[in-house]
Amino acid sequence: MVYYTLSGYLARNTFIQDDNGNYYYFDSTGHLVTGFQNINNHHYFFLPNGIELVQSFLQNADGSTIYFDQKGRQVFNQYITDQTGTAYYFQNDGTMVTSGFTEINGHKQYFYKNGTQVKGQFVSDTDGHVFYLEAGNGNVATQRFAQNSQGQWFYLGNDGIALTGLQTINGVQNYFYADGHQSKGDFITIQNHVLYTNPLTGVITTGMQHIGDKIFVFDNTGNMLTNQYYQTLDGQWLHLSTQGPADTGLVNINGNLKYFQANGRQVKGQFVTDPITNVNYYMNATDGSAVFNDYFSYQGQWYLTDSNYQLVKGFKVVNNKLQHFDEITGVQTKSAHIIVNNRTYIFDEQGYFVSVA
């Protein structure tokens, strides 16, 4: 097939456009070309009807894919973006990248088998390593956090691989599970040490922490403290249980009854009522132990408790000496007299019985 212009000249070595905007090429002999053609050092492809292929993908016999731009020229070493915004890359030989991870201009990128470039997504390699591809250029992200669609956070290291285990980032410790996602608001156990991650930042917590309705304390390395006392900044004392939470209520510690408020602070030098049994106790001012079989002073008054920690009331012989304690309050009678059954009992300043009249 040949083509003559309106002036009668035979078209040779030239492109001709039809009324529909399609281009054709006629060679030096004036014949219409088809198939692959090298014209002025550019590669073209013409359909069997001679129409130039433009802005189109073409699959070769070997299964590889090439692309021709808006001028019909095959692209090399170039990204192509389709109408949906999906990017593809064509290599030095003109074939489309379809091989997973590929390094382009010194940057590691990832392409699906259909050639589409992955952007703003996480992918895994054959070894199970997790990577994140930047949303803009598709480069493997490094040295930064990235969030997946489930709201989980990952940290990509120098090599782009998501970190796992205990890691120090920007001077603070974080923990990442085996799949790379960051622990937040979780207790984790590492070599028999229990740690806790901040629910907002994911940082390994230290010091006193309110977690749920319980109080925990972690040392400077983040290890949870257990089975020991801990003094707060305001000088109050907590006792951390064997499981970690600060004790509350009436607790037996090494054979001594202690009492801790709902906020974990130990009660010392005060009366308390066990809300479970409704029994009263007095906790001494020294170590906070409940007093039993002993005297104690409270607000300038003296009291005596029996073997069940309860206040002695009424008359009581102690060391062969008669003493008296108020029948309602339990306050010891000292330097005073009382009348019982129309008889007057006198007690000295130590509370010992002196005489009766």
Side-chain angles (χ1 to χ4, degrees):
M1 182 181 196
V2 296
Y3 179 81
Y4 287 91
T5 66
L6 293 176
S7 58
Y9 290 101
L10 178 67
R12 294 188 179 95
N13 295 327
T14 187
F15 287 93
I16 297 297
Q17 185 181 27
D18 66 16
D19 293 338
N20 295 320
N22 298 315
Y23 280 92
Y24 305 80
Y25 189 80
F26 294 86
D27 63 16
S28 59
T29 66
H31 290 87
L32 179 71
V33 301
T34 60
F36 286 100
Q37 301 291 328
N38 189 321
I39 302 171
N40 298 326
N41 296 320
H42 294 292
H43 297 274
Y44 298 84
F45 184 84
F46 297 87
L47 298 174
N49 61 3
I51 294 177
E52 179 190 21
L53 196 64
V54 295
Q55 290 184 292
S56 299
F57 295 91
L58 178 67
Q59 189 173 47
N60 294 319
D62 62 2
S64 63
T65 301
I66 57 179
Y67 185 80
F68 297 89
D69 63 18
Q70 68 273 17
K71 292 184 178 181
R73 297 171 180 176
Q74 184 182 354
V75 300
F76 299 88
N77 298 320
Q78 185 178 334
Y79 290 96
I80 294 296
T81 303
D82 65 18
Q83 293 178 343
T84 67
T86 302
Y88 306 81
Y89 187 79
F90 295 86
Q91 305 173 89
N92 187 55
D93 63 358
T95 60
M96 184 171 67
V97 174
T98 59
S99 57
F101 282 106
T102 302
E103 187 168 309
I104 300 174
N105 299 325
H107 298 288
K108 192 174 184 177
Q109 301 180 348
Y110 189 89
F111 296 81
Y112 288 131
K113 289 183 179 180
N114 65 1
T116 58
Q117 184 184 12
V118 178
K119 293 183 177 183
Q121 297 181 44
F122 288 85
V123 298
S124 299
D125 64 13
T126 55
D127 295 322
H129 298 139
V130 176
F131 298 81
Y132 178 74
L133 289 309
E134 298 285 6
N137 54 27
N139 294 340
V140 166
T142 61
Q143 293 183 291
R144 80 172 187 86
F145 282 96
Q147 188 179 32
N148 67 11
S149 58
Q150 288 77 46
Q152 298 171 323
W153 287 91
F154 298 72
Y155 188 84
L156 297 314
N158 294 330
D159 55 2
I161 296 174
L163 301 183
T164 60
L166 195 63
Q167 301 286 341
T168 300
I169 300 171
N170 298 326
V172 293
Q173 286 189 310
N174 298 258
Y175 183 81
F176 301 87
Y177 291 105
D179 66 355
H181 85 268
Q182 184 184 24
S183 171
K184 287 189 173 184
D186 299 323
F187 287 95
I188 53 178
T189 301
I190 302 176
Q191 298 180 348
N192 296 322
H193 294 292
V194 178
L195 303 92
Y196 181 76
T197 53
N198 184 287
L200 296 178
T201 66
V203 172
I204 300 296
T205 59
T206 60
M208 189 169 68
Q209 301 291 332
H210 292 262
I211 303 173
D213 61 350
K214 301 182 184 301
I215 297 174
F216 296 80
V217 178
F218 302 86
D219 67 17
N220 291 335
T221 62
N223 296 328
M224 184 175 72
L225 302 182
T226 61
N227 200 31
Q228 59 184 283
Y229 282 95
Y230 174 81
Q231 190 173 28
T232 63
L233 294 176
D234 60 0
Q236 301 294 311
W237 287 94
L238 311 177
H239 185 265
L240 307 169
S241 66
T242 54
Q243 290 76 34
D247 285 318
T248 59
L250 197 64
V251 182
N252 189 320
I253 301 175
N254 299 325
N256 294 307
L257 288 182
K258 314 277 183 158
Y259 191 87
F260 300 87
Q261 301 175 67
N263 62 7
R265 269 62 172 176
Q266 185 180 12
V267 175
K268 292 184 178 183
Q270 296 181 43
F271 285 97
V272 299
T273 300
D274 181 7
I276 298 176
T277 63
N278 206 35
V279 173
N280 296 318
Y281 299 85
Y282 178 78
M283 322 311 289
N284 74 40
T286 305
D287 66 358
S289 295
V291 178
F292 69 100
N293 282 337
D294 202 358
Y295 294 91
F296 66 88
S297 174
Y298 176 70
Q299 294 184 350
Q301 303 291 341
W302 283 90
Y303 302 80
L304 177 65
T305 55
D306 61 19
S307 58
N308 293 318
Y309 304 91
Q310 301 308 295
L311 293 177
V312 172
K313 295 178 181 179
F315 288 102
K316 175 75 173 178
V317 176
V318 180
N319 297 327
N320 297 319
K321 294 183 178 181
L322 183 64
Q323 300 179 17
H324 179 266
F325 301 85
D326 187 90
E327 282 78 359
I328 297 176
T329 64
V331 173
Q332 185 179 15
T333 303
K334 288 187 175 186
S335 300
H337 68 275
I338 61 170
I339 299 174
V340 179
N341 297 328
N342 297 319
R343 302 187 68 184
T344 300
Y345 294 81
I346 300 174
F347 296 87
D348 64 17
E349 68 277 2
Q350 292 182 312
Y352 296 136
F353 170 69
V354 175
S355 64
V356 63

